Amino acid sequence: MKLNNANADTFVPDGADIGRALARTTHMAVTAHQDDIEIMAYHGIAECFGLPDKWFTGVVVTDGAGSPRAGIYEQYTDEQMKQVRVREQRKAAYVGDYSCQLQLGYPSSAAKDPCNTAIRDELHAVFAACRPEVVYLHNLADKHETHIGVAMHCLAALRRLSAGERPKKVYGCEVWRNLDWLGDDRKQALPASSRENIGAAVVAVFDSQITGGKRYDLATAGRRLANATYYASHATDVETALTFAMDLTPLIDDPSLSPADYVTGFIDEFRADVQKKLGRFA
Ligand SMILES: [Zn+2]
């Protein structure tokens, strides 16, 4: 598959032909930045790890420019930093036993642009080549504008697939804003307890970010543990790590459904729940 940008990167850890690596994909995550996949979609990585009939493919849309830098990375130019981030993403793909890792190399400004049809067209081509059963995207209440831009481009691209090509399940996952506020009957609670070693390792390889002063490794493990512990107040924990997601599948099945209306519906339910509990004491 020929990618649009000259700086785009394709990596197949087991050396398979790229066409085969995309076609065997069953689980796929598309994120804005290097390391987002490993923070939010470990469920998919773990579901596929080491199995002959399940394969995880990761797609990172932006080029990693403008990342914070400290320590050995402090003097790096934007160009050098982009290269470091591409290498780190390859390391995660290798450790996580991915089928394929694509890094599309767009600037953040392009991902945030609602009118950028090049990204949508390219994502549509990638989805059509992979035809995954399960897709992990950023959730639509994320506070990072680039995450929202990428998720919305992905939804538009998925809606263009024919009914037979569409994934069975599309999850909107946690990075910059967790989903504890979703009603328990709305939460998609994705187990992330298996192979804690691999779950930790795929986040830990992003040294430039963690050394840069952001302990994503500890924060990600902490959020997963907190999710598992606080998920159900009256039951003992079955999982020791959970990632939460919102179900975005209805937006693919019904292209006339407005993403904004769909997500604010969850917020209305949250508001109604708080009002109901307090209202008894009014
Ligand atoms: Zn990100």
Side-chain angles (χ1 to χ4, degrees):
M1 162 167 262
K2 170 101 177 70
L3 300 175
N4 282 350
N5 295 320
N7 61 329
D9 188 71
T10 300
F11 177 53
V12 179
D14 73 353
D17 169 74
I18 176 67
R20 184 164 161 264
L22 295 175
R24 68 189 174 185
T25 301
T26 55
H27 294 61
M28 178 174 169
V30 185
T31 66
H33 306 108
Q34 289 88 356
D35 79 5
D36 287 333
I37 291 172
E38 292 68 26
I39 291 170
M40 71 178 213
Y42 179 62
H43 177 256
I45 298 167
E47 284 278 292
C48 299
F49 189 87
L51 297 176
D53 58 342
K54 287 189 179 177
W55 289 94
F56 182 86
T57 286
V59 180
V60 174
V61 172
T62 71
D63 59 10
S67 316
R69 54 207 77 173
I72 58 167
Y73 310 101
E74 201 166 359
Q75 303 302 323
Y76 279 36
T77 62
D78 249 10
E79 219 38 60
Q80 288 171 313
M81 203 59 199
K82 287 186 209 173
Q83 288 168 17
V84 166
R85 301 220 61 193
V86 166
R87 267 205 310 279
E88 288 175 342
Q89 188 61 56
R90 280 180 166 232
K91 288 182 195 174
Y94 190 83
V95 171
D97 214 5
Y98 301 178
S99 182
C100 180
Q101 175 66 57
L102 301 179
Q103 302 189 64
L104 305 183
Y106 288 93
S108 280
S109 56
K112 285 189 277 194
D113 177 5
C115 302
N116 191 305
T117 53
I119 292 182
R120 281 178 199 206
D121 290 347
E122 184 156 42
L123 288 170
H124 173 253
V126 175
F127 281 126
C130 292
R131 294 176 62 172
E133 291 167 29
V134 184
V135 171
Y136 304 83
L137 305 177
H138 292 293
N139 86 76
L140 298 184
D142 194 288
K143 67 182 170 188
H144 197 305
E145 262 189 83
T146 314
H147 288 193
I148 293 297
V150 168
M152 292 299 281
H153 286 306
C154 285
L155 283 179
L158 286 166
R159 284 175 158 185
R160 267 200 250 161
L161 296 173
S162 66
E165 289 176 323
R166 286 183 200 148
K168 291 191 184 74
K169 198 81 185 174
V170 182
Y171 294 113
C173 308
E174 303 170 300
V175 182
W176 287 105
R177 193 169 273 157
N178 68 28
L179 292 171
D180 181 66
W181 58 272
L182 272 180
D184 282 348
D185 55 339
R186 296 294 194 183
K187 278 190 190 90
Q188 308 288 301
L190 306 176
S193 311
S194 75
R195 286 197 184 77
E196 212 175 309
N197 53 321
I198 299 296
V202 293
V203 175
V205 296
F206 293 91
D207 182 65
S208 70
Q209 300 307 292
I210 293 166
T211 300
K214 300 288 273 180
R215 295 305 305 265
Y216 294 115
D217 51 342
L218 302 180
T220 300
R223 177 186 276 167
R224 289 175 191 170
L225 172 62
N227 283 349
T229 305
Y230 291 109
Y231 178 43
S233 53
H234 300 301
T236 51
D237 302 342
V238 178
E239 295 285 338
T240 53
L242 286 178
T243 59
F244 291 150
M246 63 173 58
D247 187 4
L248 301 181
T249 321
L251 291 167
I252 308 302
D253 291 342
D254 177 5
S256 71
L257 192 56
S258 148
D261 289 349
Y262 181 71
V263 175
T264 51
F266 293 141
I267 298 171
D268 292 343
E269 288 176 4
F270 177 40
R271 179 189 165 87
D273 180 58
V274 173
Q275 267 178 335
K276 185 177 146 202
K277 287 193 172 75
L278 295 178
R280 293 174 53 240
F281 292 89

